[in-house]
Amino acid sequence: MSIEASNLSYTYSAKTPFEKTALFDLSFTINKGETVGIIGSTGSGKSTLVQHFNALIKLTSGKLVVCDIDLSLKKVPFKQLRSKVGMLFQYPEYQLFEDTVLKDVSFGPINFGFDKEQALIAAEAALSLVGVDVKEVKTKSPFELSGGEQRRVAIAGVIASKPEILVLDEPTSGLDPLGKRSILNLLMELKKSFCDTVIMISHNMDEIAEYCDRVLVLNEGKLIFDGTPKDFFHNPGNLAETGLKIPHTVEIRELLKNKGVSLSSDCLNVNELTEAIVASGILKKREGKNGS
Ligand SMILES: Nc1ncnc2c1ncn2[C@@H]1O[C@H](COP(=O)(O)OP(=O)(O)O)[C@@H](O)[C@H]1O
Ligand SMILES: [Mg+2]
């Protein structure tokens, strides 16, 4: 088990006039090896929840165990926890701060107790995993790089310490569609090669539909769904409550349904939808009509 939460609640500025409860009584588990999407509209509590996973926010109510570390203990081993849970925030390039790329990426491993030489080896390995030209960039300032390269270097900084869980808070925001796809493909490659569990917050339902095995859906701080994306998007009515957009694939499926073409509600990603459209025979009927 990677993460086990029971009755987790959280209130900002408790017992002040600004008190705001952001999470209500959440219970769920995340298993080793899963790719889990956390979705919900702005303000639903997603960031507050994931910041509990590496104790950036202190657990105040309920129980939370992350990589076998009980966060309700009086003395939480923060360093050990943070070496196991790599966290990538929105606009991760803002996490860059050192004067060279290599120093930046080796900061994490040094902080988590690698000796300097091991840290530099880990940093170079991480940089080559994220697909930048290590020789070319390692002595440059991170601020001289392009936006896409900066994001890759920031990711290298998180994975260099070999975390067991990678938590990504909107990893593709601000990128163009090609940039988004290349970062997501990179993350999935990384998952295959070493990082067991990936937890991803995203506003983009197409990304969630394509990349996640499971979704946790938050609405006003409450967990309102825990299951597969297929089950969640099966009934687009589920989304009305959350203010989320439906994935484009589901939108096309529903449009066709309204026009009398019923496709299996199991198709979710682009390949599945294409196959279902071909299997439905509507393309042949059209060809016939056009006489071609
Ligand atoms: N530092 C803070 N102080 C007070 N309230 C906060 C703070 N951070 C977030 N909140 C409130 O907690 C709720 C959940 O916020 P957040 O976890 O950032 O949601 P999300 O990531 O889903 O957009 C929101 O109502 C937000 O205004
Ligand atoms: Mg957020």
Side-chain angles (χ1 to χ4, degrees):
M1 201 88 70
S2 280
I3 296 183
E4 194 168 4
S6 330
N7 307 104
L8 169 60
S9 297
Y10 188 76
T11 301
Y12 285 103
S13 313
K15 299 188 186 112
T16 76
F18 305 104
E19 182 170 288
K20 163 87 201 171
T21 298
L23 300 174
F24 294 87
D25 218 18
L26 309 187
S27 298
F28 59 87
T29 53
I30 292 178
N31 300 307
K32 223 173 157 180
E34 282 186 312
T35 302
V36 177
I38 298 183
I39 60 178
S41 56
T42 304
S44 56
K46 305 179 297 295
S47 296
T48 306
L49 174 60
V50 299
Q51 286 174 50
H52 275 82
F53 298 160
N54 72 348
L56 276 180
I57 292 182
K58 193 175 172 302
L59 179 75
T60 51
S61 168
K63 192 165 168 144
L64 183 63
V65 179
V66 179
C67 298
D68 299 323
I69 299 173
D70 183 350
L71 302 195
S72 55
L73 291 176
K74 267 212 170 123
K75 279 200 170 173
V76 175
F78 289 112
K79 248 191 188 168
Q80 194 194 353
L81 176 72
R82 289 179 186 151
S83 72
K84 287 175 185 272
V85 184
M87 187 86 84
L88 204 71
F89 300 102
Q90 241 173 323
Y91 297 99
E93 48 278 21
Y94 296 163
Q95 287 170 252
L96 302 168
F97 66 99
E98 285 279 11
D99 55 354
T100 73
V101 166
L102 197 59
K103 272 197 209 165
D104 210 299
V105 178
S106 54
F107 176 83
I110 288 174
N111 192 31
F112 295 131
F114 290 45
D115 68 33
K116 198 167 172 213
E117 198 181 333
Q118 279 177 322
L120 292 176
I121 293 171
E124 292 209 10
L127 282 166
S128 71
L129 265 176
V130 300
V132 292
D133 183 337
V134 184
K135 272 201 183 128
E136 161 82 19
V137 303
K138 68 180 184 183
T139 52
K140 279 193 178 170
S141 155
F143 305 102
E144 283 173 55
L145 307 177
S146 71
E149 279 174 325
Q150 283 186 344
R151 201 159 291 198
R152 281 169 188 269
V153 167
I155 293 172
V158 175
I159 63 169
S161 345
K162 302 195 170 54
E164 289 174 24
I165 304 179
L166 195 55
V167 182
L168 311 152
D169 193 344
E170 305 258 0
T172 64
S173 51
L175 295 178
D176 62 30
L178 273 181
K180 280 186 199 283
R181 181 153 288 272
S182 114
I183 290 292
L184 285 168
N185 287 341
L186 164 66
L187 293 171
M188 293 307 131
E189 280 306 309
L190 293 176
K191 180 175 152 67
K192 269 190 232 154
S193 55
F194 82 99
C195 191
D196 285 335
T197 310
V198 174
I199 299 169
M200 173 170 127
I201 292 178
S202 177
H203 270 115
N204 185 321
M205 293 305 113
D206 295 286
E207 286 175 4
I208 295 287
E210 182 156 358
Y211 292 94
C212 297
D213 311 319
R214 234 173 94 205
V215 278
L216 300 178
V217 185
L218 292 182
N219 191 35
E220 296 179 354
K222 299 190 181 87
L223 182 63
I224 59 160
F225 183 89
D226 174 358
T228 65
K230 273 202 171 104
D231 285 342
F232 186 64
F233 296 122
H234 177 78
N235 174 11
N238 279 340
L239 292 146
E241 194 183 342
T242 61
L244 295 167
K245 279 194 180 147
I246 58 176
H248 287 106
T249 46
V250 177
E251 201 177 341
I252 295 170
R253 194 176 84 197
E254 293 300 302
L255 276 171
L256 286 169
K257 196 199 266 174
N258 291 339
K259 297 212 176 277
V261 182
S262 224
L263 304 180
S264 153
S265 57
D266 260 2
C267 55
L268 196 52
N269 65 36
V270 174
N271 283 342
E272 290 166 349
L273 182 70
T274 313
E275 278 170 19
I277 290 176
V278 170
S280 75
I282 52 169
L283 298 176
K284 281 211 181 103
K285 280 182 212 151
R286 287 218 117 190
E287 277 171 18
K289 263 189 195 159
N290 294 339
S292 53

